[in-house]
Amino acid sequence: MKCEELLTYLSDYIDQNLDEELTEEAQNHLATCQNCRVVLDTTQQTIFLYRKQGTRNIPAGRRQRLFKQLETAFLEKIA
Ligand SMILES: [Zn+2]
């Protein structure tokens, strides 16, 4: 799995919506890729903060922006 692919699946990975095979591939990638681990941590922390505030679900639009931001930051980093 490539970084770009992981990014595509990241949202579903966090929500545990991926099938076993993809989850394993994502985990394998995360085990070897520091950049993606940082992105995952940041995303999870953001989601955690939302939940702490009592927001159970991040509004879809906000969530989309969040992932877009991460994607941009990430692609700049690996470029
Ligand atoms: Zn990666």
Side-chain angles (χ1 to χ4, degrees):
M1 185 178 283
K2 279 189 263 178
C3 293
E4 288 89 342
E5 285 174 274
L6 185 99
L7 217 64
T8 311
Y9 295 128
L10 192 65
S11 170
D12 286 328
Y13 177 75
I14 290 170
D15 291 337
Q16 299 181 321
N17 283 337
L18 292 180
D19 62 34
E20 259 177 62
E21 205 178 315
L22 277 175
T23 302
E24 211 179 293
E25 280 188 45
Q27 278 169 347
N28 284 342
H29 183 87
L30 285 162
T32 58
C33 186
Q34 171 74 20
N35 281 342
C36 286
R37 273 208 300 276
V38 171
V39 174
L40 178 69
D41 276 356
T42 311
T43 312
Q44 277 180 326
Q45 263 168 34
T46 309
I47 292 170
F48 177 74
L49 283 177
Y50 266 95
R51 293 201 173 135
K52 219 169 138 192
Q53 286 169 3
T55 313
R56 217 165 253 263
N57 292 307
I58 301 179
R62 178 69 188 87
R63 198 187 158 102
Q64 225 163 38
R65 277 203 302 280
L66 171 69
F67 276 99
K68 199 80 217 154
Q69 275 167 12
L70 284 169
E71 196 177 334
T72 309
F74 184 81
L75 291 176
E76 272 171 14
K77 213 172 163 180
I78 60 169

XYZ file of all heavy atoms in Angstrom:
652
model
N 0.834 -1.199 0.000
C 0.000 0.000 0.000
C 0.868 1.247 0.000
O 1.880 1.296 0.687
C -0.900 -0.017 1.247
C -1.878 1.124 1.279
S -2.967 1.079 2.723
C -4.115 -0.207 2.242
N 0.457 2.222 -0.778
C 1.201 3.484 -0.835
C 0.573 4.506 0.103
O -0.585 4.363 0.511
C 1.177 4.034 -2.267
C 2.207 3.363 -3.166
C 2.304 4.079 -4.491
C 1.454 3.375 -5.522
N 1.411 3.958 -6.821
N 1.327 5.556 0.395
C 0.839 6.600 1.295
C -0.484 7.182 0.785
O -1.412 7.393 1.563
C 1.860 7.722 1.413
S 3.375 7.206 2.242
N -0.561 7.425 -0.506
C -1.779 8.006 -1.076
C -2.972 7.083 -0.827
O -4.071 7.537 -0.542
C -1.633 8.218 -2.593
C -0.710 9.357 -2.966
C 0.736 8.896 -3.104
O 1.077 7.802 -2.593
O 1.522 9.633 -3.720
N -2.720 5.788 -0.943
C -3.805 4.823 -0.721
C -4.222 4.824 0.743
O -5.410 4.804 1.063
C -3.342 3.419 -1.112
C -3.276 3.204 -2.612
C -2.671 1.848 -2.917
O -1.433 1.768 -2.987
O -3.430 0.890 -3.063
N -3.250 4.843 1.616
C -3.572 4.840 3.028
C -4.440 6.038 3.373
O -5.415 5.936 4.117
C -2.308 4.875 3.883
C -2.673 4.743 5.363
C -2.485 3.337 5.849
C -1.970 5.719 6.219
N -4.071 7.170 2.798
C -4.822 8.398 3.049
C -6.272 8.258 2.610
O -7.186 8.735 3.268
C -4.146 9.534 2.279
C -4.136 10.879 2.971
C -3.316 10.828 4.238
C -3.598 11.933 2.034
N -6.454 7.572 1.496
C -7.803 7.353 0.985
C -8.625 6.522 1.969
O -9.815 6.755 2.163
C -7.729 6.602 -0.362
O -6.774 7.257 -1.194
C -9.087 6.580 -1.045
N -7.955 5.568 2.590
C -8.670 4.644 3.469
C -8.686 5.093 4.920
O -9.323 4.453 5.761
C -8.012 3.259 3.413
C -8.096 2.595 2.067
C -6.963 2.097 1.445
C -9.328 2.444 1.435
C -7.038 1.470 0.210
C -9.408 1.824 0.205
C -8.255 1.336 -0.401
O -8.345 0.716 -1.607
N -7.947 6.170 5.211
C -7.721 6.531 6.610
C -9.019 6.730 7.391
O -9.160 6.237 8.508
C -6.861 7.804 6.679
C -6.318 8.134 8.068
C -5.338 7.065 8.539
C -5.641 9.491 8.069
N -9.941 7.445 6.775
C -11.213 7.724 7.450
C -11.926 6.421 7.819
O -12.399 6.245 8.944
C -12.084 8.583 6.533
O -13.378 8.673 7.051
N -11.985 5.516 6.867
C -12.638 4.229 7.113
C -11.838 3.375 8.085
O -12.399 2.610 8.864
C -12.824 3.468 5.795
C -13.942 4.076 4.967
O -14.905 4.589 5.559
O -13.851 4.040 3.729
N -10.525 3.521 8.026
C -9.676 2.770 8.945
C -9.975 3.179 10.383
O -10.134 2.338 11.265
C -8.204 3.027 8.610
C -7.231 2.348 9.558
C -7.013 0.984 9.477
C -6.552 3.079 10.525
C -6.135 0.357 10.353
C -5.674 2.470 11.402
C -5.465 1.108 11.314
O -4.602 0.492 12.185
N -10.071 4.490 10.608
C -10.350 4.989 11.947
C -11.741 4.545 12.405
O -11.941 4.184 13.561
C -10.204 6.524 11.977
C -8.729 6.894 11.832
C -10.781 7.101 13.271
C -8.475 8.354 11.612
N -12.672 4.541 11.491
C -14.034 4.103 11.822
C -14.168 2.585 11.847
O -15.228 2.045 12.118
C -15.026 4.662 10.802
C -15.178 6.160 10.932
O -14.895 6.676 12.025
O -15.580 6.804 9.963
N -13.094 1.907 11.530
C -13.065 0.436 11.454
C -14.097 -0.097 10.471
O -14.797 -1.071 10.734
C -13.275 -0.159 12.854
C -12.168 0.282 13.791
C -12.303 -0.300 15.180
O -13.398 -0.408 15.711
N -11.196 -0.694 15.775
N -14.158 0.579 9.343
C -15.077 0.170 8.282
C -14.398 -0.629 7.174
O -15.045 -1.029 6.212
C -15.718 1.413 7.639
C -16.812 1.986 8.528
O -17.383 1.282 9.354
N -17.082 3.263 8.358
N -13.101 -0.819 7.304
C -12.386 -1.536 6.250
C -12.540 -3.043 6.445
O -12.699 -3.519 7.566
C -10.902 -1.183 6.295
C -10.498 0.244 5.930
C -8.990 0.377 6.027
C -10.963 0.597 4.533
N -12.468 -3.770 5.349
C -12.469 -5.218 5.510
C -11.105 -5.676 6.034
O -10.146 -4.913 6.078
C -12.866 -5.934 4.217
C -11.905 -5.667 3.077
O -10.685 -5.517 3.340
O -12.349 -5.597 1.933
N -11.047 -6.919 6.443
C -9.851 -7.433 7.109
C -8.577 -7.229 6.319
O -7.551 -6.841 6.847
C -10.026 -8.937 7.357
C -10.409 -9.269 8.779
C -10.633 -10.756 8.949
O -9.671 -11.505 8.750
O -11.777 -11.148 9.239
N -8.694 -7.502 5.033
C -7.526 -7.435 4.171
C -6.945 -6.021 4.136
O -5.743 -5.823 4.291
C -7.925 -7.868 2.754
C -6.765 -8.409 1.952
C -7.216 -8.867 0.572
O -8.263 -9.548 0.502
O -6.568 -8.513 -0.401
N -7.829 -5.051 3.945
C -7.380 -3.662 3.867
C -6.875 -3.168 5.224
O -5.897 -2.423 5.291
C -8.512 -2.768 3.373
C -8.706 -2.723 1.854
C -9.934 -1.899 1.508
C -7.476 -2.155 1.155
N -7.530 -3.603 6.280
C -7.075 -3.227 7.616
C -5.651 -3.721 7.830
O -4.800 -2.992 8.335
C -8.000 -3.832 8.695
O -9.332 -3.377 8.448
C -7.579 -3.394 10.087
N -5.395 -4.931 7.400
C -4.066 -5.495 7.565
C -3.044 -4.732 6.739
O -1.946 -4.435 7.202
C -4.097 -6.970 7.155
C -3.092 -7.797 7.942
C -3.160 -9.255 7.540
O -4.200 -9.873 7.826
O -2.195 -9.748 6.929
N -3.433 -4.410 5.512
C -2.521 -3.646 4.657
C -2.232 -2.275 5.242
O -1.100 -1.798 5.213
C -3.124 -3.482 3.257
C -2.936 -4.715 2.401
C -3.368 -4.471 0.964
O -2.998 -3.409 0.428
O -4.071 -5.311 0.399
N -3.277 -1.666 5.781
C -3.109 -0.351 6.400
C -2.182 -0.458 7.607
O -1.276 0.363 7.789
C -4.458 0.225 6.810
N -2.387 -1.486 8.413
C -1.548 -1.670 9.589
C -0.099 -1.923 9.208
O 0.816 -1.390 9.828
C -2.078 -2.827 10.440
C -3.227 -2.374 11.322
C -3.957 -3.541 11.974
O -3.759 -4.692 11.583
N -4.799 -3.242 12.942
N 0.082 -2.724 8.160
C 1.438 -2.993 7.691
C 2.115 -1.707 7.238
O 3.293 -1.482 7.506
C 1.417 -3.982 6.528
C 1.172 -5.395 7.010
O 1.352 -5.700 8.193
N 0.742 -6.256 6.103
N 1.350 -0.895 6.532
C 1.926 0.359 6.060
C 2.268 1.274 7.231
O 3.354 1.844 7.290
C 0.966 1.071 5.094
C 1.556 2.329 4.545
N 2.352 2.366 3.431
C 1.494 3.604 4.999
C 2.747 3.609 3.220
N 2.238 4.386 4.148
N 1.343 1.353 8.180
C 1.560 2.237 9.330
C 2.760 1.794 10.160
O 3.439 2.621 10.768
C 0.299 2.267 10.204
C -0.838 3.101 9.613
C -2.162 2.738 10.263
C -0.563 4.587 9.775
N 3.018 0.502 10.157
C 4.139 -0.021 10.933
C 5.475 0.442 10.354
O 6.474 0.508 11.064
C 4.078 -1.537 10.978
N 5.475 0.770 9.079
C 6.741 1.114 8.430
C 6.823 2.577 8.014
O 7.869 3.024 7.559
C 6.960 0.243 7.178
O 5.849 0.438 6.292
C 7.078 -1.219 7.524
N 5.729 3.312 8.119
C 5.717 4.671 7.598
C 5.433 5.689 8.689
O 4.309 5.806 9.170
C 4.690 4.790 6.472
S 4.744 6.394 5.666
N 6.475 6.387 9.070
C 6.377 7.397 10.127
C 5.397 8.509 9.739
O 4.575 8.934 10.553
C 7.785 7.968 10.385
C 7.833 9.178 11.289
C 7.606 8.798 12.749
O 7.770 7.643 13.132
N 7.223 9.768 13.557
N 5.465 8.962 8.500
C 4.594 10.053 8.048
C 3.126 9.714 8.256
O 2.354 10.523 8.750
C 4.821 10.346 6.570
C 6.065 11.183 6.353
O 6.565 11.814 7.290
N 6.585 11.180 5.145
N 2.744 8.524 7.861
C 1.347 8.135 7.965
C 0.935 7.958 9.417
O -0.214 8.216 9.771
C 1.088 6.862 7.167
S 1.086 7.177 5.398
N 1.865 7.533 10.249
C 1.532 7.401 11.675
C 1.214 8.768 12.265
O 0.292 8.908 13.062
C 2.686 6.749 12.442
C 2.624 5.240 12.429
C 3.272 4.645 13.670
N 4.678 5.033 13.766
C 5.652 4.381 13.126
N 5.391 3.341 12.397
N 6.898 4.774 13.258
N 1.990 9.767 11.860
C 1.750 11.129 12.352
C 0.376 11.604 11.902
O -0.388 12.169 12.686
C 2.858 12.093 11.856
C 2.503 13.538 12.167
C 4.185 11.732 12.488
N 0.051 11.344 10.647
C -1.254 11.757 10.126
C -2.371 11.047 10.889
O -3.360 11.660 11.299
C -1.368 11.456 8.614
C -2.775 11.749 8.114
C -0.361 12.286 7.839
N -2.193 9.774 11.117
C -3.196 9.002 11.855
C -3.375 9.554 13.269
O -4.497 9.761 13.731
C -2.788 7.526 11.905
C -3.722 6.611 12.690
C -5.051 6.448 11.983
C -3.087 5.247 12.921
N -2.253 9.814 13.945
C -2.306 10.363 15.301
C -3.061 11.681 15.326
O -3.919 11.904 16.175
C -0.882 10.597 15.832
C -0.299 9.333 16.416
O -1.024 8.323 16.475
O 0.876 9.357 16.814
N -2.697 12.563 14.399
C -3.319 13.882 14.350
C -4.822 13.753 14.139
O -5.614 14.415 14.813
C -2.720 14.704 13.192
O -1.301 14.622 13.277
C -3.151 16.148 13.266
N -5.190 12.893 13.221
C -6.611 12.703 12.920
C -7.352 12.146 14.124
O -8.429 12.621 14.491
C -6.768 11.736 11.737
O -5.890 12.142 10.693
C -8.194 11.744 11.224
N -6.755 11.151 14.748
C -7.413 10.533 15.895
C -7.543 11.507 17.050
O -8.559 11.539 17.737
C -6.652 9.280 16.328
C -7.063 8.090 15.490
C -6.331 6.830 15.881
O -5.174 6.881 16.271
N -6.987 5.697 15.757
N -6.521 12.327 17.243
C -6.577 13.321 18.306
C -7.677 14.330 18.054
O -8.395 14.717 18.977
C -5.236 14.050 18.406
C -4.352 13.462 19.475
C -2.940 13.998 19.378
O -2.743 15.147 19.014
N -1.967 13.172 19.683
N -7.809 14.742 16.808
C -8.846 15.710 16.452
C -10.222 15.119 16.717
O -11.089 15.760 17.309
C -8.715 16.106 14.969
O -7.369 16.498 14.731
C -9.648 17.249 14.632
N -10.404 13.882 16.300
C -11.685 13.217 16.518
C -11.947 13.040 18.009
O -13.052 13.266 18.500
C -11.721 11.863 15.766
C -11.722 12.121 14.256
C -12.933 11.035 16.173
C -11.514 10.890 13.405
N -10.894 12.695 18.730
C -10.996 12.527 20.181
C -11.434 13.827 20.846
O -12.289 13.828 21.730
C -9.637 12.071 20.735
C -9.604 11.937 22.230
C -10.243 10.876 22.847
C -8.929 12.863 23.003
C -10.209 10.758 24.233
C -8.895 12.743 24.384
C -9.533 11.693 25.003
N -10.857 14.953 20.410
C -11.206 16.252 20.976
C -12.672 16.570 20.737
O -13.357 17.090 21.604
C -10.327 17.354 20.376
C -8.896 17.418 20.926
C -8.096 18.491 20.204
C -8.904 17.701 22.421
N -13.137 16.245 19.565
C -14.553 16.465 19.238
C -15.438 15.663 20.182
O -16.421 16.156 20.705
C -14.844 16.040 17.796
C -14.749 17.176 16.815
C -13.586 17.404 16.119
C -15.843 18.014 16.594
C -13.486 18.448 15.209
C -15.757 19.055 15.690
C -14.571 19.273 14.991
O -14.484 20.295 14.107
N -15.061 14.440 20.395
C -15.877 13.571 21.253
C -15.858 14.059 22.683
O -16.848 13.983 23.400
C -15.358 12.132 21.171
C -15.594 11.587 19.778
C -15.604 10.076 19.702
N -16.006 9.675 18.346
C -15.407 8.739 17.635
N -14.401 8.082 18.145
N -15.835 8.447 16.432
N -14.713 14.569 23.117
C -14.559 15.089 24.465
C -15.488 16.277 24.686
O -16.018 16.473 25.771
C -13.103 15.519 24.677
C -12.576 15.193 26.051
C -11.088 15.400 26.071
C -10.660 16.082 27.364
N -9.269 16.555 27.275
N -15.646 17.054 23.653
C -16.536 18.224 23.733
C -18.002 17.809 23.714
O -18.879 18.651 23.817
C -16.298 19.160 22.537
C -15.011 19.955 22.622
C -14.691 20.640 21.307
O -15.456 20.562 20.359
N -13.561 21.315 21.242
N -18.232 16.547 23.546
C -19.602 16.074 23.529
C -20.190 15.981 22.134
O -21.363 15.693 21.962
N -19.338 16.242 21.150
C -19.796 16.100 19.771
C -19.549 14.665 19.348
O -18.418 14.252 19.160
C -19.032 17.049 18.817
O -19.010 18.337 19.418
C -19.703 17.120 17.467
N -20.590 13.933 19.249
C -20.445 12.517 18.964
C -19.924 12.292 17.549
O -18.999 11.536 17.324
C -21.793 11.834 19.109
C -21.710 10.463 19.694
C -23.088 10.042 20.120
N -23.202 10.063 21.575
C -23.052 8.980 22.318
N -22.804 7.844 21.765
N -23.157 9.032 23.623
N -20.525 12.974 16.637
C -20.090 12.832 15.251
C -19.649 14.177 14.694
O -20.345 15.167 14.866
C -21.239 12.303 14.385
C -21.583 10.886 14.749
O -20.722 10.011 14.773
N -22.843 10.654 15.076
N -18.508 14.158 14.086
C -18.059 15.373 13.424
C -18.979 15.595 12.223
O -19.228 14.668 11.465
C -16.601 15.221 12.944
C -15.709 14.921 14.153
C -16.139 16.462 12.201
C -14.248 14.732 13.789
N -19.487 16.822 12.081
C -20.335 17.074 10.909
C -19.604 16.708 9.619
O -18.398 16.924 9.525
C -20.571 18.589 10.975
C -20.285 18.980 12.383
C -19.305 17.993 12.921
N -20.316 16.140 8.694
C -19.692 15.619 7.476
C -18.822 16.656 6.778
O -17.724 16.361 6.332
C -20.762 15.094 6.528
N -19.315 17.868 6.700
C -18.575 18.924 6.018
C -17.272 19.247 6.721
O -16.226 19.393 6.099
N -17.347 19.306 8.059
C -16.157 19.603 8.857
C -15.129 18.483 8.711
O -13.938 18.697 8.599
C -16.575 19.751 10.332
C -15.430 20.023 11.274
C -14.846 21.408 11.043
N -13.620 21.645 11.802
C -12.410 21.317 11.373
N -12.243 20.746 10.206
N -11.340 21.581 12.105
N -15.655 17.294 8.719
C -14.815 16.119 8.603
C -14.095 16.071 7.254
O -12.923 15.761 7.165
C -15.719 14.894 8.755
C -15.013 13.631 9.086
C -16.007 12.508 9.019
N -15.279 11.278 8.828
C -15.043 10.406 9.815
N -15.536 10.618 10.984
N -14.356 9.332 9.587
N -14.853 16.406 6.235
C -14.288 16.426 4.894
C -13.160 17.449 4.804
O -12.116 17.179 4.225
C -15.382 16.788 3.904
C -15.386 15.907 2.671
C -16.710 16.024 1.947
O -17.285 17.107 1.868
N -17.206 14.936 1.416
N -13.398 18.623 5.413
C -12.370 19.662 5.402
C -11.137 19.191 6.150
O -10.011 19.431 5.729
C -12.907 20.949 6.019
C -13.700 21.802 5.046
C -13.745 23.257 5.463
N -14.316 23.453 6.784
C -15.634 23.468 7.029
N -16.484 23.320 6.048
N -16.084 23.647 8.238
N -11.370 18.529 7.255
C -10.262 18.028 8.054
C -9.385 17.081 7.236
O -8.168 17.195 7.215
C -10.810 17.303 9.293
C -9.810 16.521 10.139
C -8.856 17.461 10.853
C -10.535 15.678 11.178
N -10.032 16.169 6.550
C -9.263 15.205 5.775
C -8.574 15.861 4.588
O -7.480 15.485 4.211
C -10.157 14.051 5.316
C -10.297 13.010 6.388
C -11.398 12.970 7.204
C -9.282 12.086 6.599
C -11.515 12.036 8.209
C -9.385 11.142 7.597
C -10.506 11.119 8.413
N -9.229 16.851 4.029
C -8.640 17.596 2.917
C -7.365 18.292 3.393
O -6.338 18.268 2.727
C -9.668 18.617 2.404
C -9.405 19.131 1.020
C -9.863 18.163 -0.046
C -8.859 18.203 -1.190
N -8.842 16.957 -1.945
N -7.464 18.916 4.567
C -6.312 19.613 5.141
C -5.161 18.642 5.377
O -4.011 18.930 5.073
C -6.683 20.236 6.490
C -7.318 21.606 6.377
C -7.942 22.023 7.710
O -7.709 21.408 8.739
N -8.751 23.066 7.675
N -5.492 17.509 5.938
C -4.475 16.509 6.224
C -3.826 16.031 4.940
O -2.616 15.884 4.848
C -5.102 15.316 6.949
C -5.420 15.544 8.414
C -6.273 14.414 8.931
C -4.134 15.633 9.207
N -4.657 15.830 3.952
C -4.167 15.340 2.677
C -3.182 16.340 2.070
O -2.106 15.970 1.620
C -5.341 15.105 1.732
C -4.981 14.261 0.541
C -6.189 13.971 -0.342
O -7.321 13.976 0.172
O -5.975 13.766 -1.537
N -3.572 17.612 2.101
C -2.717 18.650 1.533
C -1.400 18.708 2.279
O -0.317 18.698 1.681
C -3.419 20.018 1.623
O -4.730 19.872 1.061
C -2.670 21.075 0.857
N -1.483 18.749 3.610
C -0.278 18.832 4.427
C 0.610 17.631 4.185
O 1.839 17.735 4.068
C -0.643 18.909 5.905
N -0.025 16.492 4.068
C 0.708 15.247 3.906
C 1.423 15.199 2.560
O 2.595 14.869 2.474
C -0.291 14.090 4.020
C 0.358 12.756 3.952
C 0.958 12.223 5.078
C 0.357 12.034 2.782
C 1.557 10.988 5.022
C 0.952 10.794 2.722
C 1.554 10.265 3.842
N 0.687 15.549 1.511
C 1.274 15.462 0.176
C 2.414 16.456 0.014
O 3.383 16.190 -0.691
C 0.190 15.671 -0.893
C -0.828 14.542 -0.982
C -1.923 14.865 -1.978
C -0.156 13.216 -1.356
N 2.315 17.579 0.721
C 3.427 18.541 0.683
C 4.647 17.940 1.354
O 5.776 18.146 0.928
C 3.030 19.827 1.417
C 2.338 20.827 0.502
C 1.750 21.993 1.290
O 2.107 22.162 2.471
O 0.923 22.706 0.711
N 4.391 17.203 2.398
C 5.465 16.628 3.183
C 6.239 15.552 2.408
O 7.468 15.469 2.522
C 4.859 15.997 4.448
C 5.778 16.085 5.630
C 5.048 15.628 6.868
C 6.066 15.329 7.946
N 5.447 14.882 9.184
N 5.512 14.752 1.663
C 6.201 13.656 0.978
C 6.655 14.050 -0.426
O 7.346 13.291 -1.080
C 5.334 12.368 0.894
C 4.044 12.640 0.137
C 5.072 11.790 2.270
C 3.286 11.373 -0.220
N 6.242 15.238 -0.870
C 6.597 15.667 -2.235
C 8.110 15.863 -2.354
O 8.758 16.268 -1.415
C 5.866 16.947 -2.580
Zn 2.838 6.266 4.315
